[in-house]
Amino acid sequence: MSDTTNNATPETREFVTIMVGDQLCGIDVLKVYDVLGPQKIARVSLASAEVAGLLNLRGKIVTAIDLRRRLGVEDRPEGERGMSVVVERRNELYSLAVDSVGEVLRLPADKFEPNPATLDSTWRQFSEGVYRLEEGVLVVINDDSLLDYGRTPVAA
Amino acid sequence: MDDLLSEFLTETNESLEELDVEVVRLEQEPNDPELLSSIFRLVHTIKGTCGFLGLPRLESVAHSGENILGKFRDGELPVTPEAVTLIFESLDRIKSLLAALQETQTEPDGDDIDLISRLNAMAEGVAPPPAAAAPAVVETAAPEPVAIEEVPAPAPVEAAASEVETAKVSGEPLVNQLGGISMVDASIETLFRHLLKDDELKPYFDGLEMMIFQAKMVEYFTSILGGRDKYTGDIQEEFRPLAEQGLSDPHFDKMVACLQSALSELEIDDALASAVVAVFEGARETLLCKAEMEAKAAAAAAAAAAKNKSDEPDGAQKEAVAVVQSVRVNVDMLENLMTMVSELVLYRNQLLQMVRKYEDSEFSTPLQRLSLITTDLQEGVMKTRMQPIGNAWSKIPRIVRDLSLDLDKKIELEMIGAETELDRQVLEMIKDPLTHMIRNSGDHGIEQPADRLAAGKPETGKIVLNAFHEGGHIIIKIQDDGRGIAIDKVREKAIANELATVAELDAMSSKQIMQFIFKAGFSTAEKVTNVSGRGVGMDVVRTNIEKIGGNVELQSEPGVGSTFVVKIPLTLAIVSALIVESGGERFAVPQLSVDELVRVSDESEHRIEQVNATPVLRLRDTLLPLVDLNEVLGLKKVEKVISDDAVPAPEGEEAAGEETFIVILRSGVSSFGVIVDQVFESEEIVVKPVTPVLREISIFSGNTILGDGSVIMILDPNGIAEAMGEAIQSEAAAVDDDARRAQERAAAERSAILVFKAGTGESRAVPLALVARLEEIEVGTIEENDGVPVVQYRGRLMPLIEVAEGFKRATEGRQQVVVFADGDQSMGLMVDEIVDIVEDRLDIELASARTGVLGTAVIGSKAMDVIDTAYYLEKAFGDWFKTHGNMATNDRPTNKVLLVDDSPFFRNLLTPLLSVAGYEVTAVEGGEAALSLRDAGRDFDVIVSDIEMPGMDGFELANEIRTNGAWTNTPLVALSSFSSRADLEKGRNVGFRDYIVKLDRDALLDSLSHTLATVRGAA
C-alpha cells in the first residue's frame, strides 16, 4: 500500500479526504473512481440498512453504501444531502455516501500511525491506521475490508 | 498456445463433430458413396494434419481408421455396426488425445496398440474381439492364418489353433501355463541368444542395450500372454529404429522360428509352445510398427501426388476455399460487443424519452436515425451470437446410436428444426440438459423391441427432437413413443421419498404429479443403469433450464409416450419483462414466468378468499396461493394518491371500488399469485447481475436500468416461492425445527382432522374421513320429535345430536352441523363453530373415561378431546349399527376378529365399530402380541392388521402367520394409511386377502363380511 502513486514519492501517500459525521477520513486517491453530488438512489428492499440502494452511473449500476451506517455513526439529519465517493473493488463499483468530500492531501509516510488502542472496534475493522494532522486525526479507510461483505456479517 | 496448434485443435474438433453425425448416417445409409467419401476426406485431413504437425499417436489412430473407411468406400468391407463401433472408438480416442493435447500441448504418453490392432484386424476382414478382452486373447484370436502357415511349426496348424482355443477356454492365461514370468524371462533370454546367432538378424539386434531391450520384451510379452500387469510402456519405441532400418516381415518370420527353437530348447510342450508362438505372431504388426511404416509411405506418396496435382485442387482444398468466407472471432470479444450495444440501447432509450418531451425538436430526426441504426446494430450483434440449435444436437445421433446398442433397443431419431437459431450462451447451457433428456427418453421411455411388438407398436422406437420459435422463445420438444410414465409409480415414489403426502398428491392433477420427476433424488427406473436412473439428473435438467430463465414440462400418456417441452428465451442478455410497482418501488418480472395478470375487484368474477387466514385466489376452479409483494419485501403499501380536486370518497365506497392486481407466476410446477400495487407496461430489459452485497437476497435475480435511467430489481419467481413458503411455515405454528422435521417424517401417517368447538368452548376433534358433510341449517327449520331435535335433510329426517351437556343450540340464524352419513341415513352433530381442518397425526395419548370421548390427542400443537363417533351414532339411532350388526349376525355365529394396530386411536375407534357390527373383537398393539395369542391357542375367524407398526410390521406378521402355527388358514386383511399398487401387490404376496385404507369404515365392513363369506364358501 505504501509503494503507490505517481504524484507521490515513495515517502508520501495521497488521500481524498471525506467527512463521516464529525470524523475526518481518507481514501487512497488511486482507489477513487469518481466523486458524485447528490444522486437519485433506488432503495433495495430486504437489503441491510447500510446498503443505501443502487444508482445509475453512466449506464453502470453502482451499489451505494451509507458510510455512516457502515461505521456505526448516527444517521445524517433529515434534509442534509451528502456526497458520494465511488470506489472500485473487484470490477464492482461502490458509491460511499459521506457527508462531504474535501481536498486531496499528500501525507508523508513517516507520520502514519497504527490504529490507536482506543479506537472503536467497528472503526478499527475498517481502518488501516491514522495520521495526526493539525486539524485533527485522519482515519485511513481500508476500502477492501469495508466492502468485503462476504467476510463481515452484513447485518453488522 | 502455438497458433498453428490451436487452429488445428479447433478445426479437428469441428471435423470430429461432423464425423459423429456422418458416421451415424453412414450406418443407416451404408451405400451412399458421397457420404463415404466425405467421411473419408475428413479423416484423411485429420491424419494429414497430424502427420504435418508431428503427432504420431493421432496420426496412427487416424490412419488405421482411414484404412477401414477406405475399404468401406471401395466396397471391400461391409458397413457393419461392429465396424462402425470401432470407427467411433477411434474417433473417441482421437478426441481424448486432442483433449490431452489441448491441456499439455504435447501428445500424452502411451500407445494405441490395442485399438490399432483391432482396427487393422477389421481392415483385414477379421471380426475384432471385444475391446475389454485381455490382450493375449486379442492377439491370439486374430492371427493371420497365412503367417501361421509360414511358420515351420512342429505341430500342425489346426492343433495349434485348437490349443489356443483350449488355452482360452481353460481360462488359465498362457503366462501361467508357461510357468510364470521367470519362464517368460528364460524364453526371451534364449530367443535373443538364437537371434544373435542368425546372420541376417544379428545386425539389427547387435549393439542394442541388450539388458534394457530384453527387459522390455519380457514385460511386453508377459502382458500379451495374459499376465496380470498391463503393459504400459511403448514396445514400438524399441522396435521403431529397427523397423526404420528395414526390419520387416521376412525377418520377423525368422524371429518366429528362433522363438520356436528357443521354446523347444526349454522343453516347453509342443501345444503350449505353438500357442505362445501364435501370440508372438499376433504382435507382428505392432513390433514391426507396420501402421507407422505404411503411414509414412502413404504420406510420402500423398505428398508426391499433391505435388503432381498442385494445379488441380482436391476436395479438401475446395472446402478450404469455401471456409475462407468466415472469420473466427473470440467469443469474449462478441460478449464485449454485446454489452456495449446493450448500453447503447439504454442511452438511446433515455434520449428518446427526453426528446419526446419537446415537440419538433431539431434533435428528433437525427435521433430517429440513430435509433434505427442502434436497433440494426443490436440485431446484427445478436445475430453474430446466434447459432443454429443443430450445433447443440450434433452429438445426439451418436448418443442415440450408442444407447440403442447398449440397451439392445431399436431407436430411430428424427430431428426437426435444427436450423432454429438461438443465442450462443443459451445454446451452451442447453446442451447437457438436452443430452440428458434424450438419454432419459431412450432408457426409460422406449421399450425393448419385444415389448413394443407385444404392445402392438412398431419394433423400432422413435425419438423426435423438434425445435421452433414461438413468441420470442424457443420451444424444444423431445418426444418418444415409448411406454410413457406410470403416474402411480411417480405417486408412490413421491410418497416414499417424502416429497409429498398422500393428501397432497390426491389434490394434484396428474400433470402436476408428473412434474415430480424433476425433483432431486427421483427416478422411476426400476433399476439403475449406466445410462440413467440414478435420480440425479432430471432435477439438474430443470435447474439448468430454469437458470437460463426457461422452464420444462413433462407430458406423458401411459403406453403412448412422453414429451418433454422445454421453453427457453432466445437470449439471456435482453429479456422481456413486466414492470410492476409495490410499496412505491418498481420491479421487473421476467415475462417468461408470468402466466397471466388478474385484476380483482368486487365486481370481477375472480375473488380473493380466505382459507384459515391465508388469502387464496379462486381462478377458474383452482385455488392459487396468494402473496402480497409488499409483505414479502417488507414494504408499506402506498395508498393510492387521490388528487386534490377529487372529492374524497367515503370509507365504504372506497373499499368497494378497490382493485387488486395479481400477477400469476409460475415457479417449477406450482403457480401462485403475487399481489402488486400497480402493473405497468412490459419492457425489454438488459439483465445485469446483482452486486455481491445483495446476492444473498434470493428474491432478486438481477437488476437493470430502465429507459428513464432508473435502476430497478428483477424479481425471481423461484425466490418469491421460497420466501412465500417460509412465510407460511413461520405463520403455521411456533413449532421448532426439530418438531417440524419429526412431523414431516410422520407425514405419511397424518390424516385430516376436523377441529370444532361445542358447548364448553374447548376444541374437539374428529377424523375428517368419518365426516360426510358440513352444513349450516336455518334454526327455523329445526323441529322436535320425541324431544330430539330433527331437521329435514335431503328428503329425510335427520336427528341432530348435541355434543355435550350444556350445549346451547343456536336460537336464531344458522346452526353449524357436522353430518355423519351411512347409506341414506344421516346424523347431525350440532357444534358452535368449525375451527379448522388440520393435517396431523392422530395419537390419542390419554384415554378417556367420559362417554363420547375417545381420549385426548395433541392436534396442531394443542391438546383436545377426540370425540367417539360411534357413541353419538348409537345415541342418534340405536338401530344404525344394528342394520350392520344384523347383516353380520343373523345367519351365522359371532365372528371373532383379531385387530392388530399400534395406534390406540384406531384400536379405540375400530373396536366399538366392529363390535356393534356384530364381531367379537380382540385388539392388540403389535405383531408380537398377536403371535403370543396364537401361541396361547386362541382362535380367530379373521385377522385385521395394520401395516406400519414399530417392531414387527404387518408384512412380517402375515408372513409369520402364513408359514407357522395354527393360523395358517385364517384370512388376513391389511389396514393401512396409504395404499398403492405396489403395497397391494406386496400384501397379496405375503398372504393378505384384502387391503383397506384406514378410516374407510364401509370398505372394512364389506371386506370382512366378504372375506368371511369366501372362506366359508370355500370350506
Side-chain angles (χ1 to χ4, degrees):
Chain A
M1 211 52 77
S2 54
D3 56 341
T4 41
T5 83
N6 40 3
N7 271 340
T9 60
E11 288 81 37
T12 63
R13 283 177 73 188
E14 287 184 307
F15 295 97
V16 175
T17 57
I18 52 175
M19 290 299 288
V20 181
D22 298 330
Q23 179 61 53
L24 178 69
C25 302
I27 296 181
D28 195 312
V29 78
L30 293 178
K31 303 282 182 67
V32 176
Y33 182 92
D34 207 337
V35 174
L36 306 173
Q39 293 285 317
K40 189 178 144 197
I41 292 177
R43 282 202 306 127
V44 178
S45 353
L46 301 182
S48 63
E50 320 160 12
V51 179
L54 300 172
L55 59 94
N56 172 7
L57 177 63
R58 297 186 289 277
K60 287 200 167 78
I61 295 177
V62 179
T63 314
I65 306 284
D66 187 329
L67 214 51
R68 273 191 181 233
R69 290 195 177 157
R70 182 73 171 154
L71 292 170
V73 180
E74 63 189 29
D75 277 7
R76 207 180 359 263
E78 204 61 47
E80 268 184 41
R81 314 191 72 179
M83 292 179 77
S84 295
V85 179
V86 181
V87 294
E88 188 172 354
R89 180 178 185 270
R90 302 196 186 159
N91 292 324
E92 285 280 339
L93 292 178
Y94 297 87
S95 153
L96 307 176
V98 297
D99 294 55
S100 62
V101 179
E103 54 189 339
V104 173
L105 284 183
R106 184 184 300 184
L107 298 172
D110 54 8
K111 283 248 185 99
F112 183 73
E113 292 171 34
N115 289 328
T118 51
L119 198 68
D120 177 89
S121 69
T122 316
W123 280 82
R124 196 197 314 259
Q125 205 179 339
F126 307 128
S127 157
E128 271 178 40
V130 298
Y131 282 98
R132 269 178 224 281
L133 307 176
E134 279 166 29
E135 54 269 49
V137 173
L138 178 142
V139 175
V140 179
I141 298 288
N142 181 347
D143 60 300
D144 207 52
S145 65
L146 187 76
L147 299 173
D148 187 359
Y149 275 82
R151 202 186 59 199
T152 54
V154 178
Chain B
M1 192 186 295
D2 186 0
D3 276 354
L4 204 60
L5 194 59
S6 82
E7 186 85 347
F8 161 74
L9 284 171
T10 325
E11 231 168 65
T12 312
N13 277 325
E14 271 170 24
S15 306
L16 284 170
E17 261 178 37
E18 211 172 314
L19 273 170
D20 268 345
V21 178
E22 297 212 331
V23 176
V24 173
R25 261 181 64 206
L26 176 71
E27 200 175 13
Q28 288 150 2
E29 306 159 27
N31 298 319
D32 186 341
E34 213 150 282
L35 186 60
L36 257 170
S37 38
S38 152
I39 294 172
F40 186 80
R41 217 166 35 231
L42 283 167
V43 176
H44 184 85
T45 311
I46 294 176
K47 186 189 82 171
T49 334
C50 296
F52 177 69
L53 289 172
L55 303 164
R57 275 191 72 179
L58 277 168
E59 192 190 345
S60 56
V61 174
H63 171 77
S64 302
E66 188 194 329
N67 266 352
I68 297 186
L69 291 170
K71 297 223 162 150
F72 284 167
R73 189 185 51 179
D74 303 338
E76 288 173 27
L77 205 63
V79 180
T80 58
E82 294 78 41
V84 172
T85 306
L86 206 50
I87 295 281
F88 272 133
E89 230 179 278
S90 51
L91 292 181
D92 286 345
R93 183 70 58 95
I94 292 175
K95 276 182 211 160
S96 67
L97 289 176
L98 285 178
L101 192 60
Q102 189 144 24
E103 240 164 58
T104 61
Q105 307 195 21
T106 50
E107 276 194 322
D109 293 331
D111 63 53
D112 313 292
I113 299 171
D114 57 323
L115 179 62
I116 290 171
S117 61
R118 281 185 297 127
L119 282 167
N120 290 346
M122 174 62 83
E124 300 289 337
V126 186
V137 182
V138 170
E139 304 294 346
T140 47
E144 288 164 69
V146 190
I148 287 183
E149 269 167 47
E150 278 171 15
V151 179
V157 177
E158 288 82 353
S162 68
E163 199 57 40
V164 173
E165 212 54 46
T166 47
K168 218 167 41 173
V169 170
S170 75
E172 191 72 58
L174 285 172
V175 62
N176 294 0
Q177 294 186 29
L178 212 53
I181 294 180
S182 56
M183 275 310 286
V184 178
D185 198 3
S187 313
I188 296 292
E189 178 81 33
T190 325
L191 166 67
F192 273 83
R193 236 183 29 245
H194 283 273
L195 287 181
L196 292 175
K197 271 188 228 150
D198 187 289
D199 286 339
E200 258 185 272
L201 293 173
K202 193 169 186 280
Y204 291 102
F205 290 95
D206 212 356
L208 285 172
E209 285 281 357
M210 238 12 187
M211 290 292 286
I212 298 170
F213 196 88
Q214 278 187 26
K216 294 222 161 147
M217 276 297 280
V218 171
E219 222 180 302
Y220 176 63
F221 227 68
T222 315
S223 153
I224 65 172
L225 285 172
R228 226 170 328 128
D229 296 331
K230 227 177 144 55
Y231 180 67
T232 51
D234 182 1
I235 195 70
Q236 285 186 314
E237 275 304 335
E238 308 303 321
F239 273 90
R240 192 171 295 118
L242 304 183
E244 271 163 4
Q245 284 165 39
L247 188 77
S248 58
D249 279 325
H251 302 107
F252 195 81
D253 294 340
K254 283 214 150 135
M255 285 169 71
V256 172
C258 287
L259 178 65
Q260 200 65 247
S261 39
L263 291 174
S264 64
E265 195 183 311
L266 290 168
E267 297 182 349
I268 307 275
D269 97 53
D270 282 352
L272 184 55
S274 33
V276 174
V277 168
V279 171
F280 188 58
E281 228 354 290
R284 177 192 287 259
E285 289 276 342
T286 312
L287 295 184
L288 293 181
C289 306
K290 274 206 170 166
E292 279 177 51
M293 295 305 128
E294 268 168 41
K296 277 209 174 109
K307 251 180 204 165
N308 292 344
K309 292 188 188 170
S310 56
D311 51 341
E312 189 187 322
D314 65 2
Q317 275 166 325
K318 250 189 237 159
E319 245 173 49
V321 172
V323 171
V324 169
Q325 303 290 336
S326 66
V327 180
R328 278 179 208 284
V329 183
N330 192 317
V331 171
D332 287 345
M333 171 113 142
L334 281 183
E335 302 284 308
N336 240 334
L337 266 179
M338 189 68 213
T339 326
M340 287 196 281
V341 169
S342 303
E343 259 158 44
L344 188 64
V345 171
L346 282 179
Y347 286 116
R348 191 262 323 256
N349 293 351
Q350 285 181 33
L351 271 179
L352 283 176
Q353 238 170 32
M354 286 179 196
V355 170
R356 219 170 278 152
K357 288 182 203 153
Y358 312 99
E359 275 173 53
D360 276 340
S361 155
E362 55 182 318
F363 296 118
S364 10
T365 318
L367 194 57
Q368 209 89 61
R369 296 253 164 82
L370 180 68
S371 169
L372 276 177
I373 294 169
T374 312
T375 309
D376 284 352
L377 182 62
Q378 186 189 357
E379 274 170 15
V381 174
M382 292 274 273
K383 253 187 204 149
T384 60
R385 292 161 47 105
M386 290 299 200
Q387 287 188 325
I389 195 167
N391 288 5
W393 287 358
S394 57
K395 286 198 176 73
I396 288 174
R398 165 83 190 275
I399 288 164
V400 171
R401 178 196 174 272
D402 289 355
L403 255 183
S404 59
L405 282 185
D406 279 359
L407 301 168
D408 269 331
K409 291 179 182 176
K410 296 197 171 169
I411 308 174
E412 188 190 325
L413 175 72
E414 193 181 335
M415 301 197 286
I416 306 167
E419 70 289 341
T420 314
E421 287 194 323
L422 77 169
D423 191 293
R424 197 196 60 80
Q425 207 182 345
V426 183
L427 190 87
E428 285 301 317
M429 307 271 294
I430 198 76
K431 261 186 191 173
D432 288 345
L434 267 185
T435 312
H436 197 90
M437 281 184 279
I438 291 273
R439 278 172 181 279
N440 212 62
S441 295
D443 191 22
H444 299 203
I446 306 281
E447 314 92 325
Q448 296 294 341
D451 296 344
R452 289 186 64 89
L453 286 176
K457 294 188 199 177
E459 197 184 7
T460 305
K462 193 169 187 183
I463 298 178
V464 181
L465 196 54
N466 189 2
F468 52 91
H469 285 265
E470 193 182 271
H473 301 127
I474 297 229
I475 312 285
I476 306 171
K477 285 190 177 172
I478 298 130
Q479 190 173 4
D480 68 63
D481 65 347
R483 62 171 73 93
I485 287 174
I487 260 300
D488 42 344
K489 258 196 203 168
V490 177
R491 271 186 64 111
E492 253 169 59
K493 193 82 193 218
I495 295 168
N497 289 3
E498 294 181 9
L499 295 172
T501 63
V502 179
E504 280 166 12
L505 285 170
D506 284 341
M508 287 185 190
S509 68
S510 57
K511 190 177 164 190
Q512 278 175 311
I513 293 174
M514 206 91 83
Q515 313 308 325
F516 271 108
I517 72 151
F518 294 112
K519 294 265 183 195
F522 207 94
S523 174
T524 52
E526 273 135 35
K527 57 177 188 239
V528 173
T529 64
N530 63 345
V531 183
S532 47
R534 288 193 193 84
V536 290
M538 291 320 286
D539 67 311
V540 179
V541 166
R542 198 190 67 180
T543 324
N544 280 349
I545 290 174
E546 280 179 0
K547 221 184 269 169
I548 54 174
N551 58 48
V552 55
E553 242 178 54
L554 177 68
Q555 298 158 0
S556 179
E557 204 174 317
V560 180
S562 324
T563 307
F564 287 107
V565 182
V566 180
K567 190 176 177 189
I568 43 172
L570 276 177
T571 172
L572 298 186
I574 296 182
V575 299
S576 162
L578 183 74
I579 313 297
V580 300
E581 189 185 273
S582 217
E585 289 178 28
R586 281 182 293 171
F587 299 92
V589 187
Q591 198 73 265
L592 196 72
S593 45
V594 176
D595 265 0
E596 63 177 304
L597 292 174
V598 179
R599 200 185 66 180
V600 176
S601 66
D602 278 1
E603 293 92 53
S604 68
E605 54 177 313
H606 312 298
R607 268 190 301 159
I608 298 179
E609 295 172 25
Q610 303 281 329
V611 170
N612 190 22
T614 311
V616 293
L617 174 70
R618 188 182 293 277
L619 182 70
R620 289 183 295 274
D621 294 340
T622 53
L623 279 182
L624 290 176
L626 280 182
V627 63
D628 194 330
L629 195 56
N630 284 318
E631 271 171 35
V632 173
L633 295 171
L635 294 170
K636 281 207 192 79
K637 190 178 171 80
V638 174
E639 291 303 325
K640 280 186 197 101
V641 183
I642 301 161
S643 50
D644 294 336
D645 50 353
V647 187
E651 288 278 301
E653 238 183 86
E654 199 199 66
E658 199 169 315
E659 293 182 325
T660 311
F661 294 99
I662 298 170
V663 185
I664 310 292
L665 292 182
R666 189 146 47 130
S667 155
V669 294
S670 54
S671 291
F672 57 94
V674 177
I675 302 172
V676 299
D677 294 351
Q678 276 286 349
V679 174
F680 300 105
E681 72 290 337
S682 80
E683 209 172 300
E684 300 273 294
I685 56 168
V686 181
V687 179
K688 292 174 185 253
V690 266
T691 154
V693 183
L694 302 174
R695 216 155 273 171
E696 64 190 52
I697 309 175
S698 66
I699 228 163
F700 303 127
S701 62
N703 44 24
T704 189
I705 300 177
L706 288 183
D708 63 4
S710 54
V711 181
I712 68 167
M713 304 303 291
I714 302 169
L715 292 172
D716 180 354
N718 297 333
I720 298 178
E722 265 171 44
M724 193 165 72
E726 277 165 23
I728 289 169
Q729 266 173 7
S730 62
E731 256 171 41
V735 195
D736 63 45
D737 263 276
D738 279 354
R740 198 165 62 219
R741 242 172 273 134
Q743 274 180 8
E744 274 161 13
R745 269 200 302 278
E749 289 183 34
R750 286 170 172 213
S751 42
I753 301 158
L754 179 78
V755 178
F756 61 89
K757 282 185 181 167
T760 52
E762 286 167 22
S763 291
R764 291 158 195 265
V766 64
L768 190 61
L770 298 173
V771 175
R773 277 176 298 276
L774 302 178
E775 294 286 352
E776 282 181 338
I777 292 166
E778 288 284 348
V779 171
T781 63
I782 300 178
E783 300 160 48
E784 294 256 338
N785 181 5
D786 261 0
V788 177
V790 291
V791 69
Q792 289 196 22
Y793 185 69
R794 301 196 176 199
R796 280 174 170 266
L797 276 186
M798 176 171 80
L800 295 178
I801 305 294
E802 42 203 47
V803 173
E805 303 296 322
F807 172 79
K808 296 269 181 335
R809 207 163 83 205
T811 48
E812 57 180 26
R814 288 160 172 270
Q815 171 65 50
Q816 301 264 2
V817 172
V818 180
V819 179
F820 299 88
D822 174 60
D824 45 22
Q825 282 187 306
S826 309
M827 176 274 264
L829 197 64
M830 292 184 287
V831 300
D832 288 335
E833 184 192 358
I834 303 290
V835 179
D836 202 356
I837 292 171
V838 291
E839 284 265 315
D840 207 339
R841 273 173 78 109
L842 240 191
D843 267 348
I844 294 181
E845 291 168 7
L846 292 168
S848 170
R850 279 176 289 160
T851 49
V853 177
L854 278 180
T856 309
V858 175
I859 293 159
S861 76
K862 269 191 226 145
M864 53 186 81
D865 286 347
V866 179
I867 61 159
D868 181 358
T869 39
Y871 167 80
Y872 291 104
L873 288 167
E874 212 167 35
K875 197 171 167 191
F877 21 60
D879 69 328
W880 192 39
F881 276 134
K882 290 200 183 89
T883 53
H884 283 284
N886 288 344
M887 268 162 53
T889 48
N890 268 0
D891 48 357
R892 57 182 78 113
T894 311
N895 289 306
K896 283 174 282 182
V897 177
L898 173 63
L899 175 67
V900 188
D901 198 316
D902 62 310
S903 146
F905 168 70
F906 280 107
R907 289 204 305 273
N908 290 338
L909 184 76
L910 291 176
T911 308
L913 195 143
L914 291 172
S915 309
V916 292
Y919 296 95
E920 189 188 316
V921 186
T922 308
V924 292
E925 75 283 352
E928 290 83 357
L931 291 176
S932 61
L933 285 180
R934 178 190 68 182
D935 299 338
R938 294 278 300 273
D939 191 25
F940 295 96
D941 296 301
V942 60
I943 300 165
V944 177
S945 171
D946 187 17
I947 294 299
E948 300 84 25
M949 291 186 288
M952 179 181 269
D953 73 9
F955 294 127
E956 286 170 50
L957 174 66
N959 208 18
E960 171 61 24
I961 290 176
R962 278 285 157 270
T963 40
N964 293 309
W967 292 351
T968 42
N969 290 320
T970 312
L972 284 162
V973 172
L975 202 59
S976 177
S977 32
F978 54 93
S979 71
S980 62
R981 196 182 290 169
D983 285 343
L984 212 74
E985 206 53 44
K986 197 174 170 196
R988 286 254 154 78
N989 286 342
V990 295
F992 282 110
R993 273 183 184 267
D994 208 343
Y995 208 104
I996 309 293
V997 179
K998 268 185 189 174
L999 296 175
D1000 193 342
R1001 191 171 49 90
D1002 291 341
L1004 177 63
L1005 291 174
D1006 279 355
S1007 170
L1008 283 181
S1009 54
H1010 181 75
T1011 303
L1012 288 167
T1014 334
V1015 170
R1016 295 254 154 71

